[in-house]
């Protein structure tokens, strides 16, 4: 059995008539092993090349950072396994999408967007959480953050109400189940709080979305045999 190994320790075994090939090519085992390594590596490269499109199909606007975090480790004659996987940072959040399971909150909770404009990829913009926390503490908000909160410059010139933020867990019986978060205060009698970013403190449950085996197996079936035949012909043609 030869293998293409995908990220998170998932293996796709490739059954091949290696014994028949070896018997026909007695004394040329090195060429056969070389051809197998080349075929595995080229097949893995085809999987790697197709992966960004699969991420686009499965997820809503995956970031370029996610799509460029795919690596390839070539097979060798003495180790007939090629590996395609995600780099450490990308794997840290994609693993649960490929396996499903429960994501436990950290000490800071799980960030969930509320009443805020997300970036082009549907995510909370980098650094915005810390800026909002600082604004809740000292009351200052930059223009970029104001736009994320849906307040245009022309509205501020017209004398719109000052934006006041609160960071923490709201008090009062109607907020008993509310998580720690960044909330926008809306004046009135009574006033109200609008969640901007929440730090959920209960586990988040995920179903398996990215099925790596289902995605990769057709590529292996299509590529491997042709790549092996080609590599073996080249190896035999140049054998000394």
């Amino acid at each position: 059995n030869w293998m293409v190994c995908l990220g998170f320790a998932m293996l796709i075994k490739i059954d091949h008539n290696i014994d028949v090939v070896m018997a026909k090519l007695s004394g040329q085992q090195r060429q056969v092993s070389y051809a197998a390594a080349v075929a595995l590596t080229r097949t893995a490269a085809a999987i790697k090349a197709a992966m960004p499109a699969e991420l686009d199909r499965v997820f809503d606007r995956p970031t370029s950072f996610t799509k460029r975090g795919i690596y390839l480790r070539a097979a060798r004659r003495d180790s007939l396994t090629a590996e395609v996987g995600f780099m450490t940072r990308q794997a840290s959040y994609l693993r649960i999408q490929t396996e499903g399971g429960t994501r436990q909150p950290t000490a800071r909770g799980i960030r969930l967007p509320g009443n805020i404009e997300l970036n082009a990829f549907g995510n909370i913009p980098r650094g915005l959480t810390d800026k909002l926390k600082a604004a809740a503490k000292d009351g200052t908000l930059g223009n970029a953050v104001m736009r994320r909160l849906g307040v245009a410059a022309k509205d501020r010139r017209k004398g719109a109400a000052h934006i006041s933020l609160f960071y923490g867990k709201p008090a009062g019986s109607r907020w008993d189940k509310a998580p720690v978060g960044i909330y926008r205060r809306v004046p009135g009698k009574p006033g109200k709080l609008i969640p901007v970013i929440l730090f959920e403190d209960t586990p988040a449950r995920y179903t398996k979305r990215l099925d790596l085996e289902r995605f990769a197996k057709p590529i292996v079936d299509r590529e491997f045999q042709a790549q092996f035949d080609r590599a073996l012909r080249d190896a035999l043609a140049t054998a000394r």
Side-chain angles (χ1 to χ4, degrees):
N1 288 330
W2 303 335
M3 292 177 287
V4 172
C5 176
L6 294 176
F8 318 128
M10 192 199 79
L11 302 177
I12 296 179
K13 294 184 178 180
I14 301 174
D15 296 320
H16 193 270
N17 58 342
I18 182 80
D19 294 335
V20 175
V21 175
M22 287 288 192
K24 289 182 178 180
L25 300 173
S26 177
Q28 294 179 301
Q29 287 86 352
R30 285 174 58 84
Q31 284 74 26
V32 175
S33 295
Y34 168 80
V38 169
L40 285 166
T41 300
R42 289 175 178 171
T43 301
I47 293 172
K48 179 177 182 290
M51 185 71 79
E54 179 68 2
L55 295 176
D56 281 332
R57 187 189 70 82
V58 172
F59 300 118
D60 178 21
R61 293 168 293 168
T63 65
S64 56
F65 174 78
T66 296
K67 290 191 285 187
R68 69 172 178 262
I70 307 164
Y71 71 85
L72 166 64
R73 185 170 295 134
R76 306 190 310 271
R77 284 184 302 192
D78 59 348
S79 177
L80 294 178
T81 300
E83 182 175 334
V84 181
F86 293 99
M87 298 176 189
T88 301
R89 288 182 61 190
Q90 288 84 353
S92 67
Y93 56 85
L94 284 174
R95 178 185 294 275
I96 201 164
Q97 301 287 357
T98 66
E99 299 174 352
T102 301
R103 179 184 173 194
Q104 297 295 334
T106 65
R108 298 180 63 187
I110 298 174
R111 291 190 305 168
L112 301 175
N115 184 36
I116 194 165
E117 181 184 343
L118 303 178
N119 65 18
F121 301 104
N123 300 323
I124 298 172
R126 182 187 297 274
L128 182 59
T129 301
D130 290 337
K131 291 177 182 176
L132 290 172
K133 286 181 180 179
K137 182 177 180 181
D138 61 26
T140 60
L141 281 170
N143 289 337
V145 176
M146 294 285 274
R147 286 195 297 272
R148 291 291 178 185
L149 292 171
V151 181
K154 61 182 180 65
D155 296 327
R156 297 199 296 277
R157 287 197 297 269
K158 292 178 181 178
H162 175 70
I163 289 182
S164 175
L165 298 177
F166 163 77
Y167 169 56
K169 181 173 175 59
S173 58
R174 65 190 178 120
W175 295 97
D176 282 347
K177 296 182 179 180
V180 171
I182 301 170
Y183 295 83
R184 181 174 172 177
R185 293 188 179 98
V186 177
K189 293 185 179 181
K192 61 180 180 179
L193 294 175
I194 298 177
V196 177
I197 297 177
L198 300 178
F199 301 90
E200 185 57 66
D201 57 3
T202 58
R205 291 176 175 81
Y206 290 78
T207 58
K208 181 176 180 178
R209 297 177 64 189
L210 180 59
D211 190 333
L212 292 175
E213 185 169 11
R214 183 207 58 78
F215 155 70
K217 190 63 167 64
I219 299 175
V220 172
D221 293 342
R222 181 184 72 237
E223 292 286 333
F224 179 78
Q225 187 63 55
Q227 295 291 357
F228 177 75
D229 293 344
R230 185 178 303 118
L232 184 58
R233 285 195 302 269
D234 292 344
L236 294 175
T238 57
R240 295 179 180 178

